[in-house]
Amino acid sequence: NKEFIYMFFYDIFWSYLAGLFDTDGHFALTSRSDKYFRAEIQLHITDLRCINFIQENCIYGSLNVKKDKHCKHGIIYRYEILKIDDVLNFLNKILPYLKIKKSQAELLIYYIDNKKNYMVRSKNQTIPEEELLFRRQCRDKMKQLHANCDLYKPTLIEVEG
């Protein structure tokens, strides 16, 4: 049955991807200033075969090659998703499979679903303070989640199960 095979592969692919993102991925809310914020997803990895597999099976994101003197071959591959619709679609698909960074993904979804879009074209136009407060609070919460992510400790049930 083709539908069964598709669903089986779908679950395996997204759980595999979740494992990569739980360990080597990065869910972020970055800001260039204290007004403009961007939701982004990144995965840094040294094995091009892994990135190629992701690109062959995922319609979101793009690949960048970066020099990195700390890597064995001097380069690292960065898979990133920056388009807001792609970020949201990706997060909704990977969310059920995430374990360690699930709260970071949930926060990004919350941010995307609740942020208001303002087109500021001149210095006289401003983003309302209430919206700026929301954006800053989400950014600060994400920083807090990043800091606490290293503190993950499995429960006794997880260890024994």
Side-chain angles (χ1 to χ4, degrees), residues 15-63:
S15 60
Y16 168 76
L17 212 50
L20 287 175
F21 275 88
D22 267 337
T23 56
D24 295 321
H26 187 67
F27 301 107
L29 189 54
T30 61
S31 60
R32 292 185 184 163
S33 70
D34 209 28
K35 295 181 181 179
Y36 304 103
F37 297 82
R38 179 170 79 177
E40 60 184 45
I41 299 170
Q42 294 182 350
L43 175 68
H44 295 88
I45 205 155
T46 58
D47 190 337
L48 183 58
R49 294 171 299 179
C50 181
I51 295 290
N52 285 338
F53 177 73
I54 294 169
Q55 283 195 303
E56 289 168 6
N57 295 286
C58 185
I59 60 172
Y60 314 111
S62 61
L63 170 68

Side-chain angles (χ1 to χ4, degrees), residues 5-17:
I5 292 170
Y6 171 78
M7 290 308 296
F8 180 72
F9 177 76
Y10 181 90
D11 282 342
I12 289 175
F13 174 74
W14 286 102
S15 60
Y16 168 76
L17 212 50

Side-chain angles (χ1 to χ4, degrees), residues 44-104:
H44 295 88
I45 205 155
T46 58
D47 190 337
L48 183 58
R49 294 171 299 179
C50 181
I51 295 290
N52 285 338
F53 177 73
I54 294 169
Q55 283 195 303
E56 289 168 6
N57 295 286
C58 185
I59 60 172
Y60 314 111
S62 61
L63 170 68
N64 292 302
V65 180
K66 300 288 181 188
K67 290 182 180 180
D68 190 329
K69 63 183 177 183
H70 302 292
C71 293
K72 182 178 178 181
H73 300 291
I75 58 172
I76 192 163
Y77 303 100
R78 180 173 69 192
Y79 180 75
E80 61 185 0
I81 305 169
L82 302 175
K83 292 180 184 174
I84 198 75
D85 290 339
D86 289 352
V87 168
L88 187 58
N89 289 327
F90 181 88
L91 289 171
N92 283 319
K93 288 184 179 182
I94 202 170
L95 189 65
Y97 306 96
L98 288 170
K99 301 290 183 215
I100 298 170
K101 295 182 180 174
K102 189 172 199 151
S103 55
Q104 294 175 20

Side-chain angles (χ1 to χ4, degrees), residues 142-158:
M142 185 63 80
K143 286 180 180 180
Q144 186 180 42
L145 290 172
H146 287 160
N148 293 335
C149 193
D150 293 336
L151 302 176
Y152 174 76
K153 302 217 180 344
T155 64
L156 188 56
I157 293 170
E158 290 176 319

